[in-house]
Amino acid sequence: MAASIESLLEEISGVDDPIEELQCLKTALSSIPLRDLRDSVSGQRFNVIFSLLHSDDKEQVELCVGILERILLALGPVTLAQSYRAELQGGLTHPNDTVKILALTQIGRMVEHPEASTEILNNHDILAATICCIGEERMDVAKQAIQSLSKLSHSKPGLDKLFQTDLLKVIKDVMATSDIIRYRIYELVVEISSASPISLGYCAKSGFIALLLGELTGDDVLTRATSIEMVSSLAYTQHGRKYLTQQGIMEKVSNMIKGADTDPFSALYIPGLVKFFLNLAIMDSPQQVCETYPVFQNKVFEMALDPDPAMIGVALDTLGLLGSTVEGKQVFLKTGERFKAVWLRMSKIAGAGATELRVRSLDAISQLLTLQPEQQTEDLLALTESWFLLLSNQPMDMIRNISTQPFPELHCGAMRVFTAISTQLWGQKLMISTPSFMEFILDRSAGQTKDAKDAKFDLVGSLVCSSTAAEILGSQHYIRLKSYLREGAYYISAVAAVCTEGAD
């Protein structure tokens, strides 16, 4: 196979219009398993393919990119750095964006490898050109540049090169291009800062993080909205949260929520502020965050009762994620009538209105009702039961009726609510005492989409795995549920298949 690749390369170099030969080479390469391709391309020189990238013929360039993607993937990072460094550097300034992405992807591979990364770190021009790619018009080019550069944060030499040489000026020059590019640089800074406390220190010392934090209180509300998302990403790591606390950012965001009531444009950035505290609560402690920054919980409740669908959607997602934890459930319980009002609003949204909000409400309800077996204390079981019974006068019928409406996503959402209560003793008792409910679960004709079948199968599996199901549901129902589980989610009975053929 190596000989045939070599002969194809010779043919390509000897013709003026190599499209047909390039297609043959691409086909030949794609037929070789990647594990065998390294031996086939080892020792070959593919400069002719790189040279053909310098063409106005888009088809030719795309074929060359496809060939090089396959070849370079088979080569080790050290081989790339030693043999094709100049070609890849040329690719960074190529007018075709797919060539840029090819070069950036390979540079990303090299900077991850200790030996190959040394070759790249010693090449100022490659790193400068990579940084400049963040300023390219196409976002996928910029994203690949950010991804490749962020890998430099994994080593001290990489951090030194970015932040303690004149590459820092290159970053700042690119950053000054426009508002959009500035936020791409912030994205790179956050990626690097998230890697370790040391990398965060480099970013802080360079002044980038101070600039980002300053954007939180800028005059432009769109800038404010974007910056809070970036700062939220910084809070995903423990060292990031510690830094933000030291800088007083938690208090600043809390005050921004308080002041939002007097800002007519606050709807543009309030969801981001809420998500910021949600991330903190999930990462650390819902109780601690809600008690330390009560304005967060108050705002979430207020948004759930808001007529604005955008506010409601964010509130529902937040309530679900907080309430998926035991601590979050207990926090809501302490608010008494205030959460009861929110819960009733969630029930109302689930029952009628825009499909998207109904699904988000059903998902939040299922998260709030879920208790893992090890969490099922007497108090928590009483809590989830009381919440379920508060949904309506006939909550089982309410959720079942939602599942029968002609919207697959609603069917799946309703199934997830039933799955949430299926492992809890009170939930199983409600199921067996609700007329025809077990037949409803075992009926394969309801919900014909793959997602609907999967949701029903999850419910059946949850019941079968419960230690109390056989006793509560009765042996006959339990045996049928086990048969359903054994047959799989997409089983079609022989009778049903014959009827279907007859109908055809």
Side-chain angles (χ1 to χ4, degrees):
M1 183 57 75
S4 65
I5 290 175
E6 187 175 359
S7 64
L8 282 169
L9 288 171
E10 290 176 1
E11 288 178 28
I12 289 168
S13 61
V15 295
D16 294 329
D17 184 8
I19 295 294
E20 187 175 334
E21 288 78 8
L22 286 169
Q23 288 172 334
C24 290
L25 178 57
K26 186 177 180 182
T27 302
L29 292 168
S30 64
S31 67
I32 307 172
L34 197 59
R35 62 181 179 275
D36 300 327
L37 189 57
R38 183 175 286 105
D39 293 334
S40 299
V41 301
S42 179
Q44 304 277 4
R45 291 297 297 169
F46 294 94
N47 307 66
V48 61
I49 307 299
F50 279 104
S51 67
L52 289 173
L53 289 171
H54 303 292
S55 169
D56 294 329
D57 187 330
K58 188 176 180 181
E59 183 183 4
Q60 177 177 308
V61 172
E62 295 293 339
L63 278 169
C64 290
V65 168
I67 289 166
L68 289 169
E69 281 177 340
R70 185 77 176 158
I71 291 168
L72 299 179
L73 190 61
L75 297 175
V78 175
T79 303
L80 285 177
Q82 293 174 345
S83 303
Y84 296 107
R85 192 169 60 245
E87 287 83 356
L88 291 171
Q89 182 178 333
L92 296 173
T93 54
H94 196 282
N96 188 303
D97 288 331
T98 57
V99 180
K100 289 191 184 81
I101 292 171
L102 169 69
L104 289 166
T105 303
Q106 300 310 317
I107 288 167
R109 287 180 62 207
M110 288 186 280
V111 297
E112 282 186 304
H113 189 280
E115 189 177 340
S117 67
T118 303
E119 299 272 354
I120 299 301
L121 290 174
N122 289 332
N123 192 312
H124 174 277
D125 292 340
I126 280 186
L127 291 173
T130 302
I131 293 166
C132 289
C133 283
I134 296 177
E136 288 292 328
E137 183 177 350
R138 269 185 58 175
M139 190 61 197
D140 49 355
V141 175
K143 284 281 188 187
Q144 192 60 57
I146 291 168
Q147 188 176 329
S148 296
L149 287 166
S150 66
K151 292 173 182 175
L152 289 172
S153 64
H154 300 164
S155 71
K156 187 178 185 300
L159 290 166
D160 287 341
K161 190 71 176 179
L162 275 181
F163 295 106
Q164 295 184 353
T165 69
D166 59 354
L167 285 177
L168 183 60
K169 183 180 183 304
V170 177
I171 296 174
K172 290 181 177 179
D173 288 344
V174 171
M175 188 179 192
T177 307
S178 69
D179 289 347
I180 291 174
I181 307 305
R182 184 169 79 254
Y183 273 91
R184 290 181 186 173
I185 295 295
Y186 285 145
E187 184 179 339
L188 171 64
V189 169
V190 169
E191 284 279 337
I192 292 174
S193 299
S194 299
S196 70
I198 293 173
S199 59
L200 172 60
Y202 275 86
C203 292
K205 191 175 180 180
S206 70
F208 287 120
I209 296 183
L211 287 172
L212 172 58
L213 298 180
E215 306 259 12
L216 284 174
T217 50
D219 294 332
D220 188 327
V221 290
L222 292 177
T223 297
R224 215 178 300 169
T226 309
S227 62
I228 190 63
E229 287 188 25
M230 294 286 179
V231 175
S232 293
S233 298
L234 198 57
Y236 281 131
T237 62
Q238 187 174 0
H239 64 270
R241 292 193 295 279
K242 182 180 178 181
Y243 177 83
L244 293 174
T245 302
Q246 290 169 344
Q247 300 300 311
I249 297 305
M250 314 311 190
E251 286 297 336
K252 181 178 282 190
V253 174
S254 178
N255 290 332
M256 287 173 71
I257 293 178
K258 290 175 185 175
D261 292 338
T262 58
D263 185 351
F265 301 105
S266 63
L268 294 171
Y269 59 83
I270 274 293
L273 300 178
V274 167
K275 288 176 185 176
F276 173 81
F277 277 121
L278 172 62
N279 288 339
L280 294 184
I282 296 301
M283 296 291 175
D284 288 336
S285 158
Q287 181 177 343
Q288 182 181 334
V289 170
C290 289
E291 289 181 355
T292 308
Y293 309 102
V295 67
F296 160 58
Q297 183 177 274
N298 294 340
K299 178 56 70 173
V300 173
F301 285 2
E302 180 186 312
M303 290 166 70
L305 301 172
D306 196 290
D308 183 350
M311 295 295 110
I312 296 170
V314 174
L316 290 172
D317 297 343
T318 305
L319 289 163
L321 286 167
L322 283 177
S324 65
T325 66
V326 168
E327 206 173 292
K329 290 176 174 63
Q330 291 168 334
V331 166
F332 292 150
L333 175 63
K334 289 179 184 177
T335 66
E337 291 299 312
R338 292 175 61 223
F339 179 70
K340 181 179 177 181
V342 169
W343 183 257
L344 291 173
R345 180 70 190 279
M346 292 170 67
S347 173
K348 185 176 180 181
I349 294 168
T355 301
E356 183 199 353
L357 281 183
R358 294 180 69 187
V359 172
R360 289 166 84 171
S361 185
L362 287 167
D363 283 343
I365 288 168
S366 67
Q367 288 173 299
L368 281 153
L369 292 174
T370 297
L371 282 176
Q372 299 304 322
E374 66 274 12
Q375 299 170 339
Q376 294 179 14
T377 63
E378 187 176 335
D379 288 346
L380 286 171
L381 285 169
L383 175 62
T384 53
E385 181 179 14
S386 68
W387 281 351
F388 184 77
L389 296 177
L390 195 60
L391 286 173
S392 79
N393 293 330
Q394 298 292 334
M396 292 293 287
D397 290 339
M398 171 195 165
I399 303 299
R400 180 164 56 174
N401 289 340
I402 292 172
S403 77
T404 60
Q405 293 173 18
F407 300 98
E409 55 268 49
L410 286 178
H411 175 87
C412 294
M415 288 296 110
R416 285 191 286 272
V417 174
F418 284 137
T419 301
I421 70 171
S422 65
T423 62
Q424 301 174 57
L425 195 62
W426 62 263
Q428 293 172 6
K429 288 179 178 179
L430 277 176
M431 288 179 177
I432 196 63
S433 64
T434 300
S436 71
F437 187 81
M438 294 309 299
E439 286 70 23
F440 160 74
I441 292 178
L442 293 161
D443 180 10
R444 289 185 179 271
S445 67
Q448 290 301 302
T449 66
K450 179 183 182 301
D451 288 344
K453 291 177 183 291
D454 288 341
K456 177 73 75 73
F457 190 72
D458 288 344
L459 170 56
V460 171
S462 180
L463 283 169
V464 170
C465 292
S466 169
S467 60
T468 56
E471 180 185 350
I472 301 300
L473 302 179
S475 58
Q476 185 179 353
H477 287 132
Y478 188 70
I479 290 169
R480 291 179 66 194
L481 287 167
K482 288 184 71 174
S483 297
Y484 189 116
L485 193 68
R486 185 176 61 253
E487 290 162 354
Y490 316 115
Y491 174 78
I492 301 174
S493 69
V495 174
V498 170
C499 290
T500 304
E501 289 173 13
D504 291 343

